[in-house]
Amino acid sequence: MLEYNTIYLDYNMNDKVIFSGVQPSGEIHIGNYLGAISQFVDYQTDYKSIFSIVDLHAITVWQDSEALRNSTREVLAIFLASGLDESKNIIFNQSQVPEHTQLSWILSCTAKVGWLNRMTQFKDKAGKNKENASVGLYTYPILMAADILLYSASHVPVGDDQKQHLELARDIAHKFNTDYSENIFVMPEPLMNKSTTRIMSLRDGSNKMSKSDISEYSRILMTDSNDKIALKIKKAKTDPLKMPNTLKESESRLEVNNLLNIYSACALMKKEEVISKYASKEISLFKNDLTEVIINKVEPISIKTKQLLTDKVHLDNILSMGATKAKEISCKTIAKVYDKIGMINK
Ligand code: TYM
């Protein structure tokens, strides 16, 4: 796999293009928000930004059609409620721009089976039942590469779980450029926020917070009520010790460390400051304050999301406008690629 530099938040921003995607499968949790969506909001003024609700990725596992439609609108509503501006950015659902699947096929002729076989997310998701997983789940990272390369994205804000897929996108771009002796595709770099790049489950600090975890107490949803948030934090797994005194001590205590990361990100406070504020205090006291800082972050987004969801026509119009703008860019890439590989396309 090709090496890349992981770029952190203090990166010098100069006219770069961002692309990122969120699946409308299951409900958006605070890991998605802190690891990805809040970053989208931070970058939207300095980057030309394109954000997609990747519904074609969602159907790699079966989805109820009504639930998929609702979930697509809900992700859009959460984007907007979090502060993404549809007039400054391109926001659309992937299936309205067919160039994603067109490029995906072409790139599947560039990517190697061996490269896909290394993808850990497929192994995790397919589990022991690999033979029964959909082919789409296996080739999913190629569609993701197409998403990114279609828009010549230079930077991709994602959580740590997507790093390997991004490396694959770089490998595919590099091979295509080499095969056709021209730099058709831009090599994308990940953008990650160190402390929130992997928010862990509230029930098990060694597993990431995930939409598909069977326990609803493993995650805080962006639409959870205040009472639900309080209950989930109360039940969050910790250890019998008091709060840590140092960063090093915190890092050796998975569950507490995860809660400190969440606190620090929600309160916009340096983690060291949070550690010194609560050093040697009872965990229950910290949990009470943590509940409050999470509610301060989630409640306004949740209220706005619910308001936005009352006007489906407005939301669908935003997606369709975004798709029109996205097509203007993606059509040009497809024309360039078709020409390069020898397709007659008048
Ligand atoms: P998805 O829908 O699983 O997750 C959306 C974003 O949330 C991040 N994320 C997390 N960040 C921190 N802690 C966590 N526990 C956590 N869980 C999820 C993900 O890293 C992601 O940034 N394959 C992608 C969607 C995609 C995409 C793309 C992303 C499709 N095409 C092109 C970027 C560029 C996915 O399944 O994300």
Side-chain angles (χ1 to χ4, degrees), residues 242-292:
K242 295 204 169 165
M243 289 298 287
N245 293 306
T246 61
L247 192 58
K248 194 163 170 229
E249 188 194 340
S250 167
E251 281 165 2
S252 67
R253 295 167 58 189
L254 293 183
E255 281 84 13
V256 173
N257 192 46
N258 185 42
L259 297 182
L260 281 164
N261 282 337
I262 297 176
Y263 187 115
S264 147
C266 290
L268 300 176
M269 250 171 95
K270 283 209 170 99
K271 191 164 161 194
E272 288 83 347
E273 285 172 33
V274 185
I275 291 174
S276 77
K277 183 171 175 193
Y278 292 99
S280 298
K281 301 241 166 81
E282 293 294 337
I283 290 188
S284 56
L285 177 128
F286 167 71
K287 277 188 166 183
N288 286 342
D289 290 1
L290 173 63
T291 301
E292 203 178 304

